[in-house]
Amino acid sequence: AGLGDRFCLDFLSLLHQNEGVLVGSSSDTLVLVHSETVASTFVPTRPFRVNAGSPHAYILMADRTTRYLSELVAGDVVQAVNVKGETRDIILGRIKIEQRPMLKISCIAINIDSRKNKKVHVFLQQAETVRLIDSEGAVKSVTELNAGDVVMGRHGSEARHLGVAISSSVEER
């Protein structure tokens, strides 16, 4: 996708293996971006961090609203999620923004209840340390994703205005 501003979120709490935050370019469909708890040949683990993506991306907050990454400030409370769907509130300590090469990850979100599919995407840093979680619960680097891979996320049906769910129709592309 070219160069873009990527937002690393550093929290006051340590995140666990198979835990991260929900981020996406559509407020009703978010992917689970894994924390930096996995060892890498390039950098040490940073279990307090999630490399969360681009400034326009939405993130799910602890109060179940969404915010843009660019709106976050230290002290905000975000919802952490693990592969079992368990959640907890974590406090943002700082945001680290740097220009980095970005990838556009395109997905088809499947709502199991309504059986409606939706094309969505998210922009994430092109780096082996940025990881998603596949349908088997395995952590997979965005640089190793292949067409047809299934990743975990949250696909809702509610429209949102200013981050709050509303009963209306909103289209995001």
Side-chain angles (χ1 to χ4, degrees):
L3 286 179
D5 291 336
R6 72 94 166 100
F7 281 56
C8 279
L9 307 179
D10 293 347
F11 295 98
L12 299 185
S13 301
L14 297 178
L15 291 134
H16 308 292
Q17 181 71 23
N18 296 323
E19 185 178 42
V21 298
L22 291 164
V23 177
S25 292
S26 175
S27 63
D28 67 350
T29 305
L30 308 168
V31 297
L32 182 54
V33 181
H34 196 272
S35 57
E36 292 191 14
T37 56
V38 179
S40 165
T41 56
F42 298 106
V43 295
T45 61
R46 291 182 169 78
F48 54 84
R49 175 174 289 170
V50 176
N51 189 329
S54 55
H56 78 280
Y58 295 102
I59 184 167
L60 190 63
M61 305 300 291
D63 65 3
R64 311 285 291 172
T65 62
T66 56
R67 301 254 305 270
Y68 295 115
L69 291 179
S70 61
E71 295 175 333
L72 295 176
V73 295
D76 281 342
V77 185
V78 173
Q79 187 172 85
V81 182
N82 68 23
V83 295
K84 296 177 184 176
E86 299 166 336
T87 64
R88 67 183 173 118
D89 299 350
I90 53 175
I91 300 169
L92 184 60
R94 73 169 177 175
I95 303 158
K96 185 177 178 188
I97 306 166
E98 296 176 309
Q99 283 259 306
R100 292 289 185 261
M102 304 292 278
L103 292 173
K104 179 182 178 186
I105 312 291
S106 296
C107 307
I108 297 174
I110 302 168
N111 186 318
I112 296 169
D113 297 327
S114 68
R115 299 185 187 256
K116 291 183 180 177
N117 298 346
K118 178 180 178 182
K119 291 182 182 179
V120 296
H121 64 273
V122 64
F123 288 90
L124 296 169
Q125 182 183 344
Q126 182 180 343
E128 68 130 17
T129 56
V130 181
R131 297 176 172 93
L132 302 178
I133 302 173
D134 73 15
S135 60
E136 303 299 317
V139 180
K140 190 164 191 176
S141 171
V142 295
T143 59
E144 297 173 343
L145 288 174
N146 296 301
D149 285 350
V150 177
V151 296
M152 290 189 175
R154 175 186 184 272
H155 179 54
S157 57
E158 70 276 357
R160 291 183 178 266
H161 179 67
L162 300 174
V164 178
I166 59 171
S167 57
S168 179
S169 177
V170 175
E171 184 176 335
E172 296 171 310
R173 295 181 189 189

